Amino acid sequence: MAGEITESIYAGNDDAKIAQDIRRGVGAALERFVDLVGTNEPALPAGVRETFVDLGAAEAREDRAPATLLLALRTAARVMLRETSNALAEARPPAIEDLIDLSDAITAYVDELVAATTDGFTLQLREQAGERDRRRRLLAEMLVRGSAPERAVLAAAEGIGWRRIDNVVPILLPPEQTRHAQFRYRDEAVALERERDSVLLLRQGRPASREMLERTLKGRGAVVGVTVDWARVPQAVRLAELTAQLASDGVDPNDPIFAEDHLATLALRGEQAAFAILTERRLAPFAALREATRERHLETLHSWLRHWGSRTAVADELRVHPQTVSYRIRQLRELLDGDLDDADARFELALVLADRPRR
């Protein structure tokens, strides 16, 4: 009978593992029902109940919904009601009260089977979720604290499904905002809860863009660190912590604070990590140039900034024709895409270039 029920449910399905699990569950249900006839034993003693708990857990481990197994058990209930009614009719004509009692008994029995199966499914999901949470906390802790071997970090990342880490954005959040952020970013972020705040590490991508973060973190009390490669997360977290201390009264408390807006201030306060990141960002447009061209452009830019854009003063210092200066500045404007017209960008460029000779 168990085989017939399985075949009726899985007609056209060639998954032998599923069919085997269903056949085992239906068979155990039918056998136990037969054993119960004429006794006062509980429907599912501990040993029998564990069989169905294990079946539900197996569905969760196989990443399958329990619906098919539960369908099989309910189908078995209909078969049991039909077969037992037929058997009773062969002995004597059943009264309507007998059929109602039989139906109630089978329904109650199957409800216990379903409850045991669902319990197993739920318990397994909780266990898996707990293991996933543990792995995610482990990766977050490795990245925030630093110093873990690269192979250990990559293995921890792979353990949560991150085939690549690339760059991440650290975000400081009040403890009460952690669950919301974890739910929103799901598999794209890991979090480490600390005594006074939480560090959310969000993988670089569209959700981590400034535009998106300004919208999604509004009113969350967030401090957004700079985007860095995973090995420099501890530095980025420290810069975010220092940025939180720099927040002025003029900042809207509902808006997230971005560490990238305060890199120059942190650099002037002696934070070498801030200076290094600021240098990388401001000099990134020059990275693809040949060395001689790059040095010529940087020399011209430095002079132009120090002389407040005076073409004559730059020409005198570099000992070139003023038209040569104009030509180079046009090239710099194309390369820097409007930064020469931005006061903050000019200040940061001047700060970075002033330190180049010493370095």
Side-chain angles (χ1 to χ4, degrees), residues 127-141 156 159-160 191:
E127 183 178 332
Q128 291 175 345
E131 178 61 18
R132 283 195 298 269
D133 288 344
R134 186 194 67 79
R135 292 181 180 182
R136 298 175 75 82
R137 284 195 300 272
L138 175 63
L139 176 60
E141 185 173 356
I160 67 166

PDB file of all heavy atoms in Angstrom, residues 127-141 156 159-160 191:
ATOM      1  N   GLU A 127      18.370  24.589  13.712  1.00  0.00           N
ATOM      2  CA  GLU A 127      19.773  24.173  13.860  1.00  0.00           C
ATOM      3  C   GLU A 127      20.620  24.710  12.724  1.00  0.00           C
ATOM      4  O   GLU A 127      21.733  25.211  12.933  1.00  0.00           O
ATOM      5  CB  GLU A 127      19.845  22.646  13.912  1.00  0.00           C
ATOM      6  CG  GLU A 127      21.267  22.122  14.128  1.00  0.00           C
ATOM      7  CD  GLU A 127      21.306  20.616  14.231  1.00  0.00           C
ATOM      8  OE1 GLU A 127      20.290  20.026  14.656  1.00  0.00           O
ATOM      9  OE2 GLU A 127      22.348  20.034  13.893  1.00  0.00           O
ATOM     10  N   GLN A 128      20.089  24.609  11.501  1.00  0.00           N
ATOM     11  CA  GLN A 128      20.829  25.110  10.345  1.00  0.00           C
ATOM     12  C   GLN A 128      20.998  26.621  10.423  1.00  0.00           C
ATOM     13  O   GLN A 128      22.057  27.160  10.092  1.00  0.00           O
ATOM     14  CB  GLN A 128      20.115  24.715   9.056  1.00  0.00           C
ATOM     15  CG  GLN A 128      20.169  23.224   8.765  1.00  0.00           C
ATOM     16  CD  GLN A 128      19.338  22.848   7.546  1.00  0.00           C
ATOM     17  OE1 GLN A 128      18.507  23.616   7.081  1.00  0.00           O
ATOM     18  NE2 GLN A 128      19.567  21.663   7.039  1.00  0.00           N
ATOM     19  N   ALA A 129      19.919  27.308  10.844  1.00  0.00           N
ATOM     20  CA  ALA A 129      20.002  28.758  10.967  1.00  0.00           C
ATOM     21  C   ALA A 129      21.032  29.144  12.025  1.00  0.00           C
ATOM     22  O   ALA A 129      21.803  30.095  11.843  1.00  0.00           O
ATOM     23  CB  ALA A 129      18.636  29.338  11.337  1.00  0.00           C
ATOM     24  N   GLY A 130      21.065  28.410  13.120  1.00  0.00           N
ATOM     25  CA  GLY A 130      22.054  28.677  14.154  1.00  0.00           C
ATOM     26  C   GLY A 130      23.470  28.481  13.653  1.00  0.00           C
ATOM     27  O   GLY A 130      24.369  29.267  13.961  1.00  0.00           O
ATOM     28  N   GLU A 131      23.673  27.449  12.837  1.00  0.00           N
ATOM     29  CA  GLU A 131      24.998  27.204  12.270  1.00  0.00           C
ATOM     30  C   GLU A 131      25.370  28.300  11.279  1.00  0.00           C
ATOM     31  O   GLU A 131      26.520  28.763  11.253  1.00  0.00           O
ATOM     32  CB  GLU A 131      25.024  25.830  11.584  1.00  0.00           C
ATOM     33  CG  GLU A 131      26.337  25.483  10.906  1.00  0.00           C
ATOM     34  CD  GLU A 131      27.519  25.424  11.853  1.00  0.00           C
ATOM     35  OE1 GLU A 131      27.308  25.307  13.089  1.00  0.00           O
ATOM     36  OE2 GLU A 131      28.664  25.480  11.363  1.00  0.00           O
ATOM     37  N   ARG A 132      24.404  28.724  10.473  1.00  0.00           N
ATOM     38  CA  ARG A 132      24.680  29.814   9.532  1.00  0.00           C
ATOM     39  C   ARG A 132      25.028  31.098  10.282  1.00  0.00           C
ATOM     40  O   ARG A 132      25.967  31.810   9.903  1.00  0.00           O
ATOM     41  CB  ARG A 132      23.470  30.047   8.624  1.00  0.00           C
ATOM     42  CG  ARG A 132      23.318  29.021   7.512  1.00  0.00           C
ATOM     43  CD  ARG A 132      22.342  29.522   6.451  1.00  0.00           C
ATOM     44  NE  ARG A 132      21.006  29.721   6.992  1.00  0.00           N
ATOM     45  CZ  ARG A 132      20.069  28.796   6.996  1.00  0.00           C
ATOM     46  NH1 ARG A 132      20.316  27.594   6.499  1.00  0.00           N
ATOM     47  NH2 ARG A 132      18.873  29.064   7.490  1.00  0.00           N
ATOM     48  N   ASP A 133      24.279  31.375  11.337  1.00  0.00           N
ATOM     49  CA  ASP A 133      24.564  32.575  12.125  1.00  0.00           C
ATOM     50  C   ASP A 133      25.946  32.492  12.743  1.00  0.00           C
ATOM     51  O   ASP A 133      26.670  33.500  12.796  1.00  0.00           O
ATOM     52  CB  ASP A 133      23.515  32.744  13.231  1.00  0.00           C
ATOM     53  CG  ASP A 133      22.162  33.159  12.682  1.00  0.00           C
ATOM     54  OD1 ASP A 133      22.109  33.597  11.511  1.00  0.00           O
ATOM     55  OD2 ASP A 133      21.158  33.025  13.408  1.00  0.00           O
ATOM     56  N   ARG A 134      26.320  31.317  13.221  1.00  0.00           N
ATOM     57  CA  ARG A 134      27.645  31.159  13.816  1.00  0.00           C
ATOM     58  C   ARG A 134      28.735  31.417  12.789  1.00  0.00           C
ATOM     59  O   ARG A 134      29.728  32.101  13.068  1.00  0.00           O
ATOM     60  CB  ARG A 134      27.792  29.739  14.390  1.00  0.00           C
ATOM     61  CG  ARG A 134      29.080  29.519  15.167  1.00  0.00           C
ATOM     62  CD  ARG A 134      29.334  28.054  15.415  1.00  0.00           C
ATOM     63  NE  ARG A 134      29.621  27.332  14.176  1.00  0.00           N
ATOM     64  CZ  ARG A 134      30.808  27.357  13.564  1.00  0.00           C
ATOM     65  NH1 ARG A 134      31.811  28.061  14.068  1.00  0.00           N
ATOM     66  NH2 ARG A 134      30.996  26.668  12.460  1.00  0.00           N
ATOM     67  N   ARG A 135      28.554  30.882  11.589  1.00  0.00           N
ATOM     68  CA  ARG A 135      29.554  31.085  10.540  1.00  0.00           C
ATOM     69  C   ARG A 135      29.650  32.548  10.124  1.00  0.00           C
ATOM     70  O   ARG A 135      30.740  33.066   9.872  1.00  0.00           O
ATOM     71  CB  ARG A 135      29.205  30.224   9.327  1.00  0.00           C
ATOM     72  CG  ARG A 135      29.356  28.723   9.560  1.00  0.00           C
ATOM     73  CD  ARG A 135      29.007  27.952   8.310  1.00  0.00           C
ATOM     74  NE  ARG A 135      29.151  26.515   8.509  1.00  0.00           N
ATOM     75  CZ  ARG A 135      28.939  25.610   7.570  1.00  0.00           C
ATOM     76  NH1 ARG A 135      28.551  26.005   6.352  1.00  0.00           N
ATOM     77  NH2 ARG A 135      29.104  24.326   7.826  1.00  0.00           N
ATOM     78  N   ARG A 136      28.515  33.217  10.078  1.00  0.00           N
ATOM     79  CA  ARG A 136      28.516  34.618   9.685  1.00  0.00           C
ATOM     80  C   ARG A 136      29.183  35.481  10.761  1.00  0.00           C
ATOM     81  O   ARG A 136      29.925  36.413  10.446  1.00  0.00           O
ATOM     82  CB  ARG A 136      27.081  35.083   9.416  1.00  0.00           C
ATOM     83  CG  ARG A 136      26.408  34.336   8.271  1.00  0.00           C
ATOM     84  CD  ARG A 136      24.961  34.728   8.108  1.00  0.00           C
ATOM     85  NE  ARG A 136      24.862  36.036   7.507  1.00  0.00           N
ATOM     86  CZ  ARG A 136      24.943  36.261   6.201  1.00  0.00           C
ATOM     87  NH1 ARG A 136      25.133  35.260   5.367  1.00  0.00           N
ATOM     88  NH2 ARG A 136      24.847  37.474   5.720  1.00  0.00           N
ATOM     89  N   ARG A 137      28.913  35.163  12.016  1.00  0.00           N
ATOM     90  CA  ARG A 137      29.586  35.897  13.102  1.00  0.00           C
ATOM     91  C   ARG A 137      31.088  35.651  13.069  1.00  0.00           C
ATOM     92  O   ARG A 137      31.881  36.562  13.325  1.00  0.00           O
ATOM     93  CB  ARG A 137      29.014  35.481  14.459  1.00  0.00           C
ATOM     94  CG  ARG A 137      27.641  36.071  14.769  1.00  0.00           C
ATOM     95  CD  ARG A 137      27.313  35.911  16.249  1.00  0.00           C
ATOM     96  NE  ARG A 137      27.300  34.519  16.653  1.00  0.00           N
ATOM     97  CZ  ARG A 137      26.234  33.728  16.592  1.00  0.00           C
ATOM     98  NH1 ARG A 137      25.091  34.210  16.147  1.00  0.00           N
ATOM     99  NH2 ARG A 137      26.285  32.474  16.999  1.00  0.00           N
ATOM    100  N   LEU A 138      31.481  34.418  12.766  1.00  0.00           N
ATOM    101  CA  LEU A 138      32.906  34.094  12.699  1.00  0.00           C
ATOM    102  C   LEU A 138      33.601  34.924  11.631  1.00  0.00           C
ATOM    103  O   LEU A 138      34.676  35.489  11.866  1.00  0.00           O
ATOM    104  CB  LEU A 138      33.085  32.599  12.404  1.00  0.00           C
ATOM    105  CG  LEU A 138      34.524  32.137  12.181  1.00  0.00           C
ATOM    106  CD1 LEU A 138      35.366  32.356  13.432  1.00  0.00           C
ATOM    107  CD2 LEU A 138      34.559  30.656  11.772  1.00  0.00           C
ATOM    108  N   LEU A 139      33.005  35.013  10.450  1.00  0.00           N
ATOM    109  CA  LEU A 139      33.616  35.805   9.377  1.00  0.00           C
ATOM    110  C   LEU A 139      33.677  37.273   9.771  1.00  0.00           C
ATOM    111  O   LEU A 139      34.713  37.936   9.574  1.00  0.00           O
ATOM    112  CB  LEU A 139      32.821  35.633   8.084  1.00  0.00           C
ATOM    113  CG  LEU A 139      33.314  36.486   6.903  1.00  0.00           C
ATOM    114  CD1 LEU A 139      34.758  36.149   6.563  1.00  0.00           C
ATOM    115  CD2 LEU A 139      32.414  36.294   5.686  1.00  0.00           C
ATOM    116  N   ALA A 140      32.587  37.792  10.327  1.00  0.00           N
ATOM    117  CA  ALA A 140      32.575  39.199  10.731  1.00  0.00           C
ATOM    118  C   ALA A 140      33.662  39.474  11.773  1.00  0.00           C
ATOM    119  O   ALA A 140      34.368  40.486  11.703  1.00  0.00           O
ATOM    120  CB  ALA A 140      31.205  39.570  11.288  1.00  0.00           C
ATOM    121  N   GLU A 141      33.812  38.563  12.717  1.00  0.00           N
ATOM    122  CA  GLU A 141      34.824  38.743  13.761  1.00  0.00           C
ATOM    123  C   GLU A 141      36.226  38.707  13.162  1.00  0.00           C
ATOM    124  O   GLU A 141      37.090  39.514  13.530  1.00  0.00           O
ATOM    125  CB  GLU A 141      34.668  37.651  14.820  1.00  0.00           C
ATOM    126  CG  GLU A 141      35.579  37.821  16.010  1.00  0.00           C
ATOM    127  CD  GLU A 141      35.276  36.822  17.115  1.00  0.00           C
ATOM    128  OE1 GLU A 141      34.304  36.054  16.977  1.00  0.00           O
ATOM    129  OE2 GLU A 141      36.016  36.819  18.112  1.00  0.00           O
ATOM    130  N   ALA A 156      36.199  30.851   5.649  1.00  0.00           N
ATOM    131  CA  ALA A 156      35.010  31.312   6.384  1.00  0.00           C
ATOM    132  C   ALA A 156      34.024  31.981   5.436  1.00  0.00           C
ATOM    133  O   ALA A 156      32.807  31.818   5.569  1.00  0.00           O
ATOM    134  CB  ALA A 156      35.431  32.272   7.494  1.00  0.00           C
ATOM    135  N   GLY A 159      32.238  29.451   3.507  1.00  0.00           N
ATOM    136  CA  GLY A 159      31.295  28.740   4.359  1.00  0.00           C
ATOM    137  C   GLY A 159      29.926  29.394   4.442  1.00  0.00           C
ATOM    138  O   GLY A 159      28.947  28.746   4.806  1.00  0.00           O
ATOM    139  N   ILE A 160      29.836  30.686   4.109  1.00  0.00           N
ATOM    140  CA  ILE A 160      28.531  31.355   4.094  1.00  0.00           C
ATOM    141  C   ILE A 160      28.082  31.655   2.664  1.00  0.00           C
ATOM    142  O   ILE A 160      27.133  32.412   2.455  1.00  0.00           O
ATOM    143  CB  ILE A 160      28.549  32.658   4.922  1.00  0.00           C
ATOM    144  CG1 ILE A 160      29.452  33.703   4.275  1.00  0.00           C
ATOM    145  CG2 ILE A 160      28.965  32.384   6.343  1.00  0.00           C
ATOM    146  CD1 ILE A 160      29.259  35.098   4.844  1.00  0.00           C
ATOM    147  N   ALA A 191      27.463  40.660  10.320  1.00  0.00           N
ATOM    148  CA  ALA A 191      27.466  41.644  11.400  1.00  0.00           C
ATOM    149  C   ALA A 191      28.154  41.088  12.640  1.00  0.00           C
ATOM    150  O   ALA A 191      28.067  39.893  12.931  1.00  0.00           O
ATOM    151  CB  ALA A 191      26.043  42.078  11.743  1.00  0.00           C
TER     152      ALA A 191
END
